[in-house]
Amino acid sequence: MEIAAIVAAVLMGVVAVFQLALALGAPAGFAAWGGWHEGVLPTRLRVASGVVGLIVYPALMVYVLATAGVIDATWVPVRGRLGMWILTVIFTVGGFANLASRSRRERWWAVAAFGIAVCTAIIAISL
């Protein structure tokens, strides 16, 4: 269970770094947000990438690591099996959304999404 949590956190960290790069103006819009923007993302999507990279993924990383007992974060609310199953569903849906993207390069993010989904399912089963 601990290994699954660490793998999930690493994969989320990779996605977070990519989102932060997009927020800072990396010309990789072709690989995110549906692949509709070849270069630098428009401002609204750069802001969204910043929020995802700075807040959402780090929070999910802490949640997963705390739920699996890798870190001691008793302040994290509602840790447990249901939360892991919810994340499993969210990342599975996200993986299929990546696969459905018009951008070939964005489809590669499905690997990370499905990897995270498998890890959160392993944690859920192990609780």
Side-chain angles (χ1 to χ4, degrees):
M1 174 167 67
E2 291 84 8
I3 292 171
I6 292 167
V7 170
V10 167
L11 290 171
M12 287 184 215
V14 169
V15 176
V17 168
F18 176 69
Q19 290 293 333
L20 289 173
L22 290 171
L24 294 171
F30 55 79
W33 301 108
W36 292 100
H37 305 280
E38 274 300 311
V40 176
L41 292 173
T43 302
R44 66 183 173 78
L45 291 179
R46 288 177 68 186
V47 169
S49 287
V51 169
V52 169
L54 282 175
I55 298 170
V56 176
Y57 275 102
L60 289 175
M61 291 164 67
V62 168
Y63 180 79
V64 168
L65 292 170
T67 301
V70 176
I71 63 172
D72 183 23
T74 54
W75 52 270
V76 175
V78 198
R79 291 170 289 143
R81 180 177 288 146
L82 178 60
M84 289 297 102
W85 283 122
I86 290 170
L87 288 180
T88 300
V89 170
I90 289 169
F91 281 103
T92 300
V93 170
F96 283 115
N98 287 135
L99 287 177
S101 175
R102 65 185 285 278
S103 166
R104 247 187 240 178
R105 291 173 267 189
E106 185 177 12
R107 291 182 205 142
W108 283 101
W109 287 111
V111 174
F114 289 135
I116 296 166
V118 167
C119 290
T120 55
I122 289 169
I123 296 166
I125 291 166
S126 299
L127 291 175

